Amino acid sequence: TTWHKVKINASTDLTNVTAVRGQFSSTTKNAMMALTSSGQIYTWGSSTYLGNNTAIIATQNRARQMTLPAGITPKMIGSGTNSSNQRSYYVLATDGNLYAMGNNAVRQLGDFTTSERRSWVQPRYASGGAVMNNIIWMSPQEHDTQYNGINVINSTKNIYAFGENDNTMLGATNDPTNPVIPGGLTGSDIML
């Protein structure tokens, strides 16, 4: 019922934060991530991953720095989960490369598998095809603790969606879905 500062350890506050993403609800599926002005990313809460190939952490009580893909500068961050508390993370780099990590049970990482990823992978446009390296915007579903999916827009102004497609919320025919241009759109449609 009162405000508290997010801490890295008992005596150090998490500072210089430029963006915070994640979900927080009355259930146990709560986790957040934060981007700092120096390009570091921190996470805390339930079922978190650090990106360093270690197992999921059931409860991370303080903000803990994540390991990022080598040489990137983060532009946008995002996190999602589903009703089974299957956490995933997304980082969009300033060079347009998109990265994903975490649970992948509903194909929310976009790598055409359902394999858990404890370190960062890049979503692909097609199975075995080009990685998503020209993304200009992303929007993970962070509004509730279910239906883990994401939409991205690339530099050619195409939208791609992947993950849990509950009631066709991603505009795809499969649920879950690998990366796909939503139904009713074509590659010649320009998304802003």
Side-chain angles (χ1 to χ4, degrees):
T1 59
T2 61
W3 291 98
H4 294 272
K5 291 183 179 180
V6 175
K7 300 233 178 241
I8 296 171
N9 58 48
S11 60
T12 307
D13 298 333
L14 177 60
T15 59
N16 299 314
V17 173
T18 59
V20 177
R21 298 287 183 269
Q23 300 95 0
F24 197 82
S25 70
S26 59
T27 67
T28 59
K29 301 166 188 65
N30 306 317
M32 304 297 283
M33 67 187 301
L35 172 63
T36 68
S37 58
S38 59
Q40 297 171 323
I41 298 179
Y42 289 81
T43 189
W44 64 96
S46 301
S47 301
T48 60
Y49 290 87
L50 297 177
N52 60 0
N53 212 30
T54 57
I56 194 169
I57 301 169
T59 304
Q60 181 63 48
N61 291 321
R62 292 196 172 100
R64 191 157 170 194
Q65 188 174 349
M66 299 175 81
T67 299
L68 295 176
I72 74 159
T73 301
K75 171 183 172 181
M76 296 177 77
I77 59 172
S79 176
T81 189
N82 64 16
S83 58
S84 300
N85 204 19
Q86 297 168 334
R87 173 99 29 236
S88 56
Y89 295 94
Y90 305 94
V91 173
L92 176 58
T94 54
D95 63 4
N97 279 287
L98 180 64
Y99 299 90
M101 185 227 351
N103 191 285
N104 197 19
V106 293
R107 301 186 180 276
Q108 67 265 41
L109 303 185
D111 65 350
F112 287 80
T113 76
T114 56
S115 300
E116 175 190 38
R117 303 297 186 178
R118 295 178 179 182
S119 57
W120 298 95
V121 296
Q122 284 197 263
R124 296 182 177 275
Y125 286 108
S127 181
V131 296
M132 293 186 177
N133 62 1
N134 62 340
I135 304 301
I136 58 173
W137 180 84
M138 69 172 185
S139 180
Q141 195 293 101
E142 299 172 323
H143 309 293
D144 64 31
T145 56
Q146 296 186 62
Y147 317 125
N148 200 347
I150 183 171
N151 287 275
V152 299
I153 296 178
N154 64 20
S155 61
T156 58
K157 310 292 190 293
N158 296 128
I159 188 169
Y160 283 82
F162 46 99
E164 200 164 3
N165 188 35
D166 184 67
N167 289 311
T168 65
M169 71 178 203
L170 297 177
T173 56
N174 295 328
D175 183 20
T177 186
N178 290 309
V180 64
I181 293 176
L185 299 174
T186 68
S188 62
D189 290 316
I190 296 175
M191 306 301 290
L192 298 178

